[in-house]
Amino acid sequence: MSKITTARLQAMKQAGEKIAMITAYDATFAALFEQAGVHAILIGDSLGMVLQGESSTLGVTVDNMAYHTKSVANGCEKAFIVADMPFMSYSTPEQACANAATLMRAGAHMVKLEGGDWLADTVQQLTRQGVPVCGHLGLTPQSVHVFGGFKLQGREAEQAEQIKHHAKALEAAGIQLLVLECVPSRLAADISRMLSIPVIGIGAGADTDGQVLVMQDALGLTTGYVPKFTKNFLADGGNVKAAIETYVAEVAAGRFPGPEHSFN
């Protein structure tokens, strides 16, 4: 696998090649996932839940994210590295630039923000300063208390149109990647066709330009509630590297996610 860049991800979308992304939080797993053929690694603020044992992502700090971003970057040579901007770390463009600089210096190639058209100025300022940006729409975990829980978004026609509007606005502002989480498959397919940038789905059906999973879900390490959109790729035996190779292959072939992992 050659080094993955924003230009390579864009070329994959244009060629109809599926992008496989997974979360990682340390050098060992990052290196293993890269060897398994993963194109992009997300250092998610999901670490608040899967590593720290919290009930949400809200307690994660920029320092937490920088530490784990540096760890992942130390394990990678070719994979594209995206780091989450944690809760309330980008409430103004100035704050966003300062905190994004910390994550980029730690080794990120791109930062991810949760939210819609109200982030346009922030996205523009970040890209002007040389920071590539990934958007995140649908179920945005940092807004869990606004949503009243981790719930499917965009099922009603009006809400679906709002998500489309925000996707267009963010692309116009300069994002180069978009994550869609927990939205109906048809909505995700519409947005993927509508945008020129790659769209990565999680719980968004098979018709996005790629998929992302939390590594604990993909390896069957999740305790308690297991989201519908996940699959345990380690269940059939083998080892971690083989499990992630299977994930990459199933994403590439369009076999994952299947209907059982998607929302109508």
Side-chain angles (χ1 to χ4, degrees):
M1 183 175 73
S2 59
K3 189 171 181 62
I4 304 297
T5 63
T6 53
R8 173 63 179 142
L9 295 175
Q10 185 65 46
M12 290 180 72
K13 177 184 175 88
Q14 293 170 349
E17 300 175 31
K18 297 287 189 178
I19 298 163
M21 177 187 280
I22 195 167
T23 68
Y25 315 97
D26 65 34
T28 301
F29 277 109
L32 196 62
F33 295 163
E34 183 176 89
Q35 292 167 18
V38 166
H39 304 104
I41 292 177
L42 171 65
I43 303 94
D45 59 2
S46 51
L47 68 87
M49 302 173 76
V50 299
L51 297 187
Q52 298 174 341
E54 302 291 345
S55 60
S56 74
T57 65
L58 303 187
V60 176
T61 67
V62 173
D63 286 344
N64 293 155
M65 293 303 307
Y67 173 87
H68 289 282
T69 297
K70 182 173 177 59
S71 297
V72 166
N74 287 341
C76 287
E77 295 181 1
K78 298 177 180 179
F80 191 73
I81 300 172
V82 182
D84 271 344
M85 296 278 282
F87 179 65
M88 291 299 290
S89 67
Y90 48 98
S91 57
T92 67
E94 294 75 20
Q95 183 193 32
C97 286
N99 289 325
T102 297
L103 299 183
M104 296 292 284
R105 291 187 185 112
H109 302 136
M110 175 180 277
V111 298
K112 181 167 73 65
L113 314 179
E114 296 183 10
D117 59 2
W118 58 90
L119 290 174
D121 290 345
T122 297
V123 172
Q124 290 171 352
Q125 184 65 13
L126 285 168
T127 54
R128 278 196 293 264
Q129 299 298 324
V131 179
V133 180
C134 174
H136 186 156
L137 293 170
L139 173 57
T140 47
Q142 292 174 16
S143 300
V144 61
H145 295 309
V146 175
F147 295 146
F150 295 98
K151 298 178 179 179
L152 181 70
Q153 303 296 308
R155 179 172 283 164
E156 302 299 328
E158 182 178 353
Q159 190 182 48
E161 289 303 314
Q162 289 177 344
I163 293 173
K164 288 181 182 179
H165 162 78
H166 291 309
K168 290 178 182 177
L170 289 171
E171 182 180 42
I175 65 167
Q176 292 176 278
L177 202 65
L178 177 67
V179 169
L180 280 179
E181 181 170 358
C182 283
V183 300
S185 300
R186 181 176 294 180
L187 173 60
D190 288 346
I191 291 174
S192 299
R193 288 191 294 267
M194 183 177 73
L195 300 187
S196 62
I197 60 171
V199 176
I200 308 297
I202 177 167
D207 294 323
T208 53
D209 303 303
Q211 300 293 326
V212 61
L213 282 179
V214 173
M215 59 166 279
Q216 282 80 358
D217 293 338
L219 297 174
L221 301 177
T222 304
T223 59
Y225 171 72
V226 178
K228 172 182 177 176
F229 52 76
T230 65
K231 179 178 177 179
N232 178 1
F233 287 91
L234 195 56
D236 293 331
N239 55 48
V240 170
K241 183 170 180 280
I244 302 306
E245 287 173 340
T246 300
Y247 165 62
V248 173
E250 290 196 10
V251 169
R255 294 194 300 271
F256 177 82
E260 69 273 24
H261 308 114
S262 306
F263 301 98
N264 297 321

